[in-house]
Amino acid sequence: MPRYCEIAVPVPLRSTFTYAVPAALDGEELVGRRVVVPFGKRAMVGVGLAESEVAPDVSRIKEIAELMDPLPALPSKLIELGHWVSRYYVAPVGETFRAMLPPEIEIRQDRNYSITGAGRAYARQLADTPEITDQEAAERKLLERFDDATSVSSARLRRAPGAEALAEKLVRRGCLVARETLRRRKSRAQKIAAWRAESTDTPADDAETRIRDLLTTERGPLPLTLLLKKANVSRSVIARLEKSGMLQIWEEPVTAAEDPWDTDFTPPANVLNAEQSQALAEIWRWIVAGEFSAALLHGVTGSGKTEVYLGAVEAALSRGKTAIVLVPEIALTLWVGRLVRARFGDRVAVLHSGLPDIERAREWWRVRRGEARVVVGTRSAVFAPLENVGLIIVDEEQESSYKQEETPRYNGRDTAVYRARLEGAVALLGSATPSLETFHNARAGKYKLLTLSSRVENRPLADVRVVDLREEFRRHHRAAPISESLRSAIAVRLEERTQAMVLINRRGYSWSMLCRSCGVVVQCENCSIALTYHKSRQRLECHYCGYSIRPPKHCPKCRAEYMYFVGDGAERVDEYLREQFPHARVARLDRDTVRTKRQYQQVLGAFAKGEVDILVGTQMVAKGHDFQRVTLVGVAAADLALGRPDFRAAERTFQLLTQVAGRAGRGELSGEVLVETYYPEHYAIQHAARQDYISFYEKEAHFRRVLHYPPFTALANVLVRDRKVENAIRWSRALATCFEPFEKQGVKVLGPAAAPLARLRQDYRFQFVLKSPQRAALGKALAGALDFCAAREIPSTAVIVDVDPTSLF
Ligand code: ADP
Ligand code: ZN
């Protein structure tokens, strides 16, 4: 009986592909397995979704080339989840499953070259020409490596300098053809070097002596890379020693190194208070019941939600179940990961995109094999390959970082709730400032509600003072990056020897560069957005596409030389604080200063230990951290987000202010918060100042209901984009006609209109906003639109569908 398998291949198409199963794979289960398959001219890694005994068009069917792992990468529940994500978010099925698989560390894209008729003719011609140039001689030499039967891989070509580039040139001239292949790579191992004890030879020079001492008396066997660095020698020295038999080198799998961040840590021994115990007792009941439930843990900042999470994980493990803890930021995987590991040891794995591929793959497979039973991670950890899941926690569930802003555009929180439903597990969403959607669900009884209404040990919430920047300016008549009120409050903290944090939610030194003479703003060449000035690098940079230039001396439009910078970012605030307080220890946390896990640990660790007095940063500093000696939090330009044409602007502002205010006064010292704004009377700012979530919710929910926005309406954003503005316009018009019939089925279609970012990465962009009280109707309209595009040959990359967008900006 022939066998066929439906394979999800990572291409932007909304279907799977049928492949034949070769006889060599008889008896192998293919569902959930990663396979290598030929696709067009390439080889790709896909995953088996279903087997069958019939195929649509047997004559054109290709065979699976290779099976990758000994066990299925995806358990059956995850296959079901993948289908749901693909359907709900109208995302290509192959790309959706690609997001669920481990990084492909064991394979490498390679190219295989073979010679063409034209190539053979050219080689003959060169052979017959008596005098040829050096270049031609090199070409001839390369072409002569080929006969009709052999092909040569790029890996082999790379051994001779320049050969690969030359081969590519010959491909462009039609003398060679190249095919993409996948090659296995042995990178799961590292080379270890040791000194051969039986060797009686003596080192010939200083370098060799250094190596011997390191490998014998000082350290013992070392990874080769470390040895090269420590001994400060070149590879050739090592090769020489290996050849002469003094060194022995072998391969070992890479294993997790001990991280001092974890090992030097003693977790606090907290006894749960009444509210925490009550919440945990409820969660225990749900976990014991062993069926799906979703709940919101609404706890003010500093109410000790983390302790409840830990207890909930304990409950799940004690029932033989597994657990996932999602956090919104890589930085938080450090804090939360450490606490969870301190409690549950080796059973914990950490997964996030900041890990090197090798490390991520290692952790992923540890989870898949069942060695780790608790996963702490960011968004994509919702797809952690655990089986028998009993609990999924989503900390700070309102965060927009749970939404993936590329295909598949899923929301990790909503996916977590759906996964919990599939697994019969408990979904626990925690927040001090729940999203409107989640709180609405809790009020409507769809989610259970647990409340922690006060801070641990009844510590007071910090006092919030709103600083009216208009009045500040009237009084002091100068514009500084932070207000005089905030400056003097920081001075007090420095004297008291407590700590201060300053949040400024913009990277860079200045937001934009403007010509005083004609008013033009220096814009990105590829995007309709102002370039941000970064002083340390002396560049104007686009935060969307990475385009950058030196700051021009003259206006690009009118040539006047009166260019000046507008708006202060984190880099400027940092510099200003150092000027004002030359003796203070100032550190900055934003994507310009920290990029790696190590750097995060350094900055946050130093602040936690009291080695830093003032921490300046973007929203990275706002979330979740628990610092005990912070008594002042300042928010510079708190109303930045309010200026955006976005229905979530007020919600975002309220959340950010409440979150950052929650960083103050968490220890035994009480805290104060200063919020700088030009709109002191705005309700988002007023309610945040009072830290009154319920009143904010009621006001905001009223607007959302009246204006038909989530949670009262399902929303989708459809973008049409192309390099050529004519195409973008034509396709938008076509789509508009396609949407028309759906208006009668309860889908309101707004647009097409120029998108708020009308140009991005050289693409012109038009936008539709679709709203419907019925999600099913919305889904039909979106699927209909994509079918329409496929039929009209509108490229699938030109249309972006975003279901439940976190922003319309
Ligand atoms: P949040 O609700 O803001 O996430 P955390 O979980 O970070 O709050 O807890 C805030 C602080 O309170 C932490 O330092 C934690 O160790 C401490 N804590 C938690 N529970 C208790 C308790 N029952 N008694 C005393 N301290 C506690
Ligand atoms: Zn740009």
Side-chain angles (χ1 to χ4, degrees), residues 523-531 541-548 757 759-762:
Q523 282 214 341
C524 175
E525 209 175 70
N526 312 315
C527 314
S528 51
I529 201 90
L531 294 175
E541 296 180 4
C542 174
H543 287 179
Y544 287 87
C545 75
Y547 172 83
S548 87
L757 252 172
R759 205 159 159 260
L760 183 68
R761 297 191 188 95
Q762 302 191 346

Side-chain angles (χ1 to χ4, degrees), residues 135-382:
Q135 167 77 17
E136 286 167 336
E139 288 172 358
R140 180 178 153 192
K141 191 162 154 241
L142 181 65
L143 288 172
E144 280 172 355
R145 289 175 69 172
F146 294 85
D147 60 47
D148 291 347
T150 40
S151 63
V152 180
S153 71
S154 45
R156 256 175 66 200
L157 283 181
R158 269 195 288 275
R159 286 182 210 159
E164 197 183 3
L166 188 59
E168 283 300 315
K169 203 182 260 169
L170 290 169
V171 168
R172 285 195 293 278
R173 293 202 343 228
C175 296
L176 295 177
V177 283
R179 286 178 71 88
E180 305 275 343
T181 56
L182 292 180
R183 275 167 53 94
R184 293 226 164 220
R185 169 154 77 177
K186 285 191 261 160
S187 60
R188 272 168 152 172
Q190 60 180 343
K191 286 208 161 108
I192 307 287
W195 195 262
R196 254 189 226 280
E198 63 275 21
S199 161
T200 49
D201 294 342
T202 42
D205 55 26
D206 282 357
E208 294 190 7
T209 311
R210 213 159 45 238
I211 292 174
R212 186 197 56 191
D213 291 351
L214 267 168
L215 294 181
T216 53
T217 48
E218 287 179 34
R219 296 289 297 266
L222 285 177
L224 192 58
T225 44
L226 195 65
L227 176 66
L228 288 168
K229 217 159 72 196
K230 289 242 174 249
N232 195 16
V233 296
S234 68
R235 280 182 184 272
S236 62
V237 178
I238 305 279
R240 195 169 70 219
L241 285 171
E242 188 184 10
K243 206 159 163 209
S244 69
M246 283 189 267
L247 266 191
Q248 186 185 6
I249 296 181
W250 69 89
E251 290 201 336
E252 252 182 30
V254 181
T255 46
E258 287 233 310
D259 191 337
W261 176 258
D262 270 3
T263 44
D264 296 348
F265 171 71
T266 346
N270 293 318
V271 180
L272 297 190
N273 62 28
E275 279 189 327
Q276 286 171 316
S277 313
Q278 209 179 348
L280 188 53
E282 284 285 318
I283 297 169
W284 262 95
R285 256 197 295 283
W286 304 331
I287 286 178
V288 170
E291 47 191 53
F292 166 66
S293 57
L296 166 64
L297 176 63
H298 182 204
V300 297
T301 55
S303 57
K305 291 187 284 295
T306 319
E307 279 305 324
V308 178
Y309 298 156
L310 290 171
V313 171
E314 178 124 52
L317 290 178
S318 79
R319 308 299 294 182
K321 301 276 178 88
T322 61
I324 302 175
V325 182
L326 297 181
V327 294
E329 278 265 337
I330 293 174
L332 285 173
T333 63
L334 296 176
W335 298 117
V336 178
R338 183 163 78 171
L339 280 165
V340 176
R341 196 146 32 203
R343 185 100 157 232
F344 305 105
D346 285 351
R347 287 176 292 174
V348 181
V350 174
L351 289 176
H352 59 75
S353 59
L355 295 172
D357 275 359
I358 290 207
E359 218 171 299
R360 194 153 57 96
R362 189 190 59 227
E363 288 289 274
W364 198 96
W365 283 103
R366 219 158 65 75
V367 175
R368 180 65 190 108
R369 286 192 299 266
E371 289 163 34
R373 304 182 57 76
V374 183
V375 171
V376 177
T378 46
R379 181 175 64 215
S380 60
V382 72

Side-chain angles (χ1 to χ4, degrees), residues 9 18 45 82 96 185 365 454 493 509 583 587 603 648 770:
V9 184
T18 310
V45 175
T96 304
R185 169 154 77 177
W365 283 103
S454 52
R493 289 340 185 267
Y509 194 84
H583 300 297
V603 178
R648 280 191 214 274
L770 274 65

Side-chain angles (χ1 to χ4, degrees), residues 575-587:
E575 179 191 81
Y576 179 78
L577 290 170
R578 287 171 202 269
E579 284 161 14
Q580 293 290 315
F581 307 113
H583 300 297
R585 295 162 301 175
V586 182

